[in-house]
Amino acid sequence: MASIKVPEQKVILCGEYGVGKSSLFRRYAYDTFISSSSRKSTLGLDNFNKEYKVDDRSIQMQLWDTGGMERVASITSSYYKFAEAAILVFSLDNAASFHVLSQHLLEIVTYAENAKIFLCGNKSDLEGTTPQVTEADMENFCEQCHNLISSTYKTSCKTGEGVEEMFADIGRQLILSNRSRLELQTMGAGGIGTDSFKLGGRGSEEGEVAEPPCLC
Amino acid sequence: MDEEYDAIVLGTGLKECILSGMLSVSGKKVLHIDRNKYYGGESASITPLEELFSKFGSTLPDEVTFGRGRDWNVDLIPKFLMANGSLVKLLIHTGVTRYLEFKSVEGSYVFKGGKISKVPVDQKEALASDLMGLFEKRRFRNFLVYIQEFSEADPKTWKDINPQSATTAQLYDKFGLDPNTKDFTGHALALYRDDEYINDLAIHTIRRIKLYSDSLARYGKSPYLYPMYGLGELPQSFARLSAIYGGTYMLDKPVDEIVIENGKVVGVRSGTEIARCKQVYCDPSYVQDRVKKLNQVIRCICLMDHPIPNTKDALSCQIIIPQKQVNRKSDIYVSLVSYTHQVSAKGWFIAMVSTTVETDNPELEIKPGLDLLGSYKKKFVTVSDYYEPTDLGTESQIFISTSYDATTHFETVCTDVVNLFKRGTGEDFDFSKIKLEEEAS
């Protein structure tokens, strides 16, 4: 079964426990919403691929959820490895979840140096008339982190507002910014890191053998 | 923490993380604790480089520039994955492979008569090898052909030797192999650490040589794989599996007491908090009074700015020094990884020399390995005790893993994990229980 390989791009969700990272994941993957009262915990959410297109170019966005590890312990550094983008999520009705973001940002720049970073204020349905986190706060934050943040978004997983728009926009930005890198890779000028491979997937243990890496 | 769990796992080394993943997947409620503030315990890759220096009580020197500290991820225990080995199977069956990327290790060498040679694995290589004389090459070739065609299920391929009753020595003699050939076959292909295997059943040796050649057939240059960013990625990946199946993680949490009632574990105390449980799974460091020391392993980490001489500038390789070559009882292992695995700064290499300790001067024991490296810029030496549990945990319900041994691969790690799981749960791990939500779509 020959197919043209669409590049996979890992995008990770970061932020405090309870800001709605898994809800964003569910909206993205299945367009569903489960209210906190009827939900047990982050269970079984791993990663999910979805294709985004700009003109004739497309990518497989691979969104990753934390697996709930941030509840008590810290997230593994592995989570950040190979990430092309990170979405910093906070809850618009919880100022503390916003003020702690610089810590999450630090982890991203440490372990996923080259990832593009996006800021997402979730639970916009709970914002009310006196917002806990204002747009000015968000702008200030972006300025303080030396414009490391590529774009900011407001979403509501409950109503679905802004969610698909956010992922589509991130997908678009990844396609545009990765153009040169992908072209470099196809020309074989990658050097380090381009000849590493994933082991054959489940069930394909016998059949699927990765191509032997080149000797260059 | 003040809750009740089916199992509490102590330590986030590779064995404990695989177990934690298996237990969570099997529907058990798992609490996983580490006293360190990082994942991986002894199987962590240390980063940044400053952290490695401080771990060994020193500081980064000014005169040598090791590049950027955070580009380094240095393993404390050197190992490679056999491409067709148990850990790869476990990674694939659990789906954990999706979290990792690998590179094939470039070369596999064996030390003989003062120099190193490529390990020959097929007929062509055997005939070209400088390890043997002409007549010996033909005998070795016949031996390789026999192994290749050997099938456990088909006695016709056994020829006139019964591998279930004959010893390895008898197998070797049947093909008339000379002592040198026996030496590199047993140590560089079957990967035995000492010579006790000679009197063991031939079938065990045949299986091990087959594992080597099947592994080699999968990705090419050598039978070994190494993960990008270092071995510390392995425990983290299994920890994620456990978390996704509901496992709770606590790091930087002291373990003050394993609470026992009537000879059976009932919980784990940290400060004034007690988490109750039916079982505990842990590494030996959490239960010093329930393990016995068997021997010691010496491991030496060398930071170098060049590849190992006489390896065709391989960016990764393994060299086995069979015990007889240096008048020892156990082999010396040398492994090399480099900046191409994202474990060191650009242009840097990490060599590791290790062996089972036999004398009062372990540093002298690894000298034959160090001599192969050429110059190095920094050396860190550890001598660690190898522990085994004093009992199987049947009564106490405390299941203790063994320390990491001197072997160069993960086969014994997997055997221990599979045994622990079976001892603890009374059943074999059922891979069909792994179903992630995404796969439902």
Side-chain angles (χ1 to χ4, degrees):
Chain A
M1 195 175 73
S3 61
I4 300 158
K5 197 175 179 260
V6 181
E8 252 173 28
Q9 307 231 345
K10 178 174 175 179
V11 178
I12 54 174
L13 291 163
C14 303
E16 288 296 284
Y17 183 66
V19 296
K21 295 186 294 300
S22 300
S23 293
L24 281 167
F25 186 95
R26 282 198 193 86
R27 270 286 174 210
Y28 162 91
Y30 323 110
D31 198 18
T32 55
F33 179 75
I34 306 169
S35 71
S36 53
S37 51
S38 59
R39 188 192 325 150
K40 281 181 196 132
S41 68
T42 302
L43 215 95
L45 296 182
D46 190 43
N47 64 61
F48 191 90
N49 280 17
K50 215 167 157 180
E51 191 167 324
Y52 286 91
K53 274 189 180 158
V54 173
D55 300 330
D56 57 339
R57 291 201 306 275
S58 57
I59 55 158
Q60 284 285 344
M61 187 190 288
Q62 185 178 74
L63 187 70
W64 287 59
D65 193 25
T66 60
M69 278 182 141
E70 76 283 16
R71 189 151 43 120
V72 234
S74 54
I75 292 175
T76 60
S77 59
S78 293
Y79 181 66
Y80 300 91
K81 303 278 167 66
F82 306 105
E84 304 279 349
I87 309 174
L88 274 173
V89 188
F90 69 96
S91 170
L92 284 161
D93 73 335
N94 178 349
S97 74
F98 176 72
H99 294 302
V100 79
L101 285 181
S102 55
Q103 278 178 38
H104 294 277
L105 187 70
L106 187 66
E107 299 220 324
I108 296 168
V109 296
T110 306
Y111 298 118
E113 221 180 326
N114 300 314
K116 285 177 94 69
I117 304 168
F118 302 92
L119 180 65
C120 169
N122 189 32
K123 306 193 188 178
S124 60
D125 52 291
L126 298 177
E127 211 175 3
T129 44
T130 50
Q132 297 280 307
V133 181
T134 64
E135 305 223 345
D137 292 334
M138 289 168 72
E139 272 171 39
N140 277 338
F141 177 74
C142 292
E143 262 175 50
Q144 277 163 22
C145 26
H146 309 288
N147 299 315
L148 275 170
I149 313 283
S150 300
S151 301
T152 62
Y153 310 91
K154 277 188 176 184
T155 56
S156 164
C157 291
K158 193 171 182 181
T159 66
E161 201 183 337
V163 178
E164 187 42 42
E165 290 82 350
M166 173 176 77
F167 287 114
D169 187 57
I170 291 173
R172 189 183 58 81
Q173 293 200 36
L174 286 177
I175 290 170
L176 298 179
S177 71
N178 276 283
R179 183 184 194 177
S180 52
R181 201 183 62 91
L182 291 171
E183 279 168 358
L184 270 178
Q185 272 189 8
T186 31
M187 288 190 304
I192 297 176
T194 51
D195 63 345
S196 63
F197 50 86
K198 284 203 151 77
L199 301 177
R202 294 176 68 193
S204 59
E205 195 188 348
E206 297 304 320
E208 195 176 310
V209 173
E211 288 169 39
C214 71
L215 283 158
C216 53
Chain B
M1 184 169 175
D2 295 314
E3 270 184 69
E4 171 128 21
Y5 298 87
D6 293 319
I8 298 180
V9 184
L10 304 176
T12 53
L14 179 58
K15 290 183 186 181
E16 283 66 38
C17 284
I18 300 177
L19 277 167
S20 175
M22 288 172 143
L23 291 165
S24 293
V25 165
S26 308
K28 303 264 192 271
K29 189 178 173 188
V30 175
L31 173 65
H32 200 157
I33 300 177
D34 197 307
R35 62 165 86 86
N36 297 315
K37 59 178 189 291
Y38 55 87
Y39 288 92
E42 272 204 281
S43 27
S45 302
I46 305 299
T47 186
L49 191 61
E50 292 79 352
E51 186 67 29
L52 182 73
F53 275 78
S54 79
K55 199 175 169 62
F56 286 90
S58 68
T59 48
L60 261 178
D62 298 330
E63 65 271 25
V64 191
T65 41
F66 288 98
R68 218 169 50 152
R70 64 184 161 103
D71 287 340
W72 292 79
N73 295 286
V74 184
D75 303 333
L76 299 174
I77 297 174
K79 280 188 192 299
F80 289 136
L81 289 85
M82 300 290 291
N84 207 35
S86 323
L87 185 56
V88 166
K89 289 188 173 138
L90 206 54
L91 284 166
I92 290 172
H93 284 305
T94 55
V96 167
T97 173
R98 81 187 73 205
Y99 308 139
L100 299 157
E101 289 196 16
F102 291 89
K103 275 192 178 182
S104 197
V105 171
E106 291 184 11
S108 172
Y109 296 86
V110 61
F111 179 88
K112 190 208 148 198
K115 64 186 192 71
I116 59 175
S117 306
K118 197 170 181 306
V119 177
V121 281
D122 57 22
Q123 306 175 34
K124 213 175 103 196
E125 281 192 1
L127 291 175
S129 175
D130 56 358
L131 283 165
M132 299 160 276
L134 191 63
F135 293 107
E136 186 60 15
K137 277 179 186 173
R138 291 184 52 187
R139 290 190 283 267
F140 181 60
R141 203 196 75 134
N142 292 339
F143 177 73
L144 282 183
V145 171
Y146 171 79
I147 301 280
Q148 211 164 40
E149 288 170 357
F150 182 91
S151 161
E152 279 189 52
D154 182 5
K156 269 181 294 192
T157 65
W158 301 357
K159 304 281 169 64
D160 49 348
I161 187 163
N162 185 351
Q164 309 281 4
S165 61
T167 64
T168 301
Q170 287 168 323
L171 175 71
Y172 283 165
D173 289 341
K174 183 182 148 53
F175 289 89
L177 301 182
D178 76 18
N180 262 323
T181 311
K182 289 178 189 169
D183 213 29
F184 80 70
T185 302
H187 294 266
L189 294 181
L191 302 173
Y192 283 108
R193 274 173 291 172
D194 51 45
D195 257 358
E196 281 169 29
Y197 80 100
I198 282 285
N199 299 314
D200 192 8
L201 291 182
I203 186 70
H204 295 154
T205 304
I206 294 173
R207 279 186 197 142
R208 292 172 76 128
I209 299 173
K210 271 191 168 300
L211 170 62
Y212 190 98
S213 59
D214 291 348
S215 294
L216 186 78
R218 294 204 70 170
Y219 300 103
K221 291 175 283 187
S222 83
Y224 305 114
L225 299 174
Y226 186 80
M228 299 298 283
Y229 296 104
L231 297 176
E233 297 297 296
L234 297 168
Q236 294 190 49
S237 299
F238 282 99
R240 179 174 168 90
L241 176 73
S242 180
I244 281 171
Y245 278 87
T248 302
Y249 275 82
M250 285 185 185
L251 297 184
D252 204 7
K253 191 93 182 159
V255 173
D256 297 312
E257 187 190 349
I258 293 175
V259 188
I260 310 277
E261 278 172 19
N262 303 321
K264 189 180 165 303
V265 67
V266 293
V268 170
R269 181 174 68 82
S270 175
T272 54
E273 297 172 290
I274 290 180
R276 299 191 70 81
C277 65
K278 300 185 184 85
Q279 296 185 318
V280 162
Y281 295 80
C282 64
D283 73 49
S285 71
Y286 288 86
V287 279
Q288 294 285 352
D289 55 333
R290 290 173 185 272
V291 293
K292 56 176 185 282
K293 177 178 152 184
L294 257 70
N295 53 36
Q296 288 185 310
V297 181
I298 178 167
R299 301 181 174 103
C300 175
I301 304 167
C302 297
L303 311 183
M304 326 198 293
D305 57 4
H306 58 84
I308 296 178
N310 309 312
T311 59
K312 293 186 180 146
D313 290 345
L315 298 166
S316 57
C317 70
Q318 175 175 281
I319 306 167
I320 292 176
I321 305 177
Q323 32 128 29
K324 274 207 189 106
Q325 295 291 327
V326 284
N327 298 316
R328 292 172 51 76
K329 287 197 205 69
S330 40
D331 295 355
I332 301 172
Y333 300 113
V334 178
S335 68
L336 182 84
V337 289
S338 66
Y339 61 97
T340 55
H341 307 94
Q342 317 272 29
V343 294
S344 62
K346 176 91 183 153
W348 285 88
F349 295 76
I350 305 171
M352 294 266 240
V353 183
S354 59
T355 192
T356 306
V357 173
E358 296 174 2
T359 69
D360 294 340
N361 190 351
E363 282 207 50
L364 191 67
E365 292 183 49
I366 55 167
K367 190 171 179 295
L370 288 175
D371 287 346
L372 296 176
L373 303 181
S375 64
Y376 45 83
K377 293 280 190 256
K378 181 72 194 172
K379 184 177 86 171
F380 301 103
V381 180
T382 49
V383 178
S384 6
D385 296 337
Y386 176 85
Y387 291 107
E388 263 184 17
T390 49
D391 68 274
L392 296 176
T394 323
E395 271 171 41
S396 63
Q397 291 293 297
I398 300 173
F399 302 97
I400 306 159
S401 62
T402 61
S403 308
Y404 295 91
D405 60 29
T407 53
T408 58
H409 49 71
F410 289 100
E411 300 309 302
T412 53
V413 168
C414 292
T415 312
D416 195 26
V417 166
V418 168
N419 286 341
L420 282 162
F421 184 84
K422 187 155 191 178
R423 254 148 58 198
T425 63
E427 50 195 68
D428 291 317
F429 181 63
D430 180 1
F431 286 102
S432 70
K433 283 187 178 149
I434 299 168
K435 278 198 178 60
L436 297 176
E437 212 173 288
E438 58 164 316
E439 285 173 352
S441 63

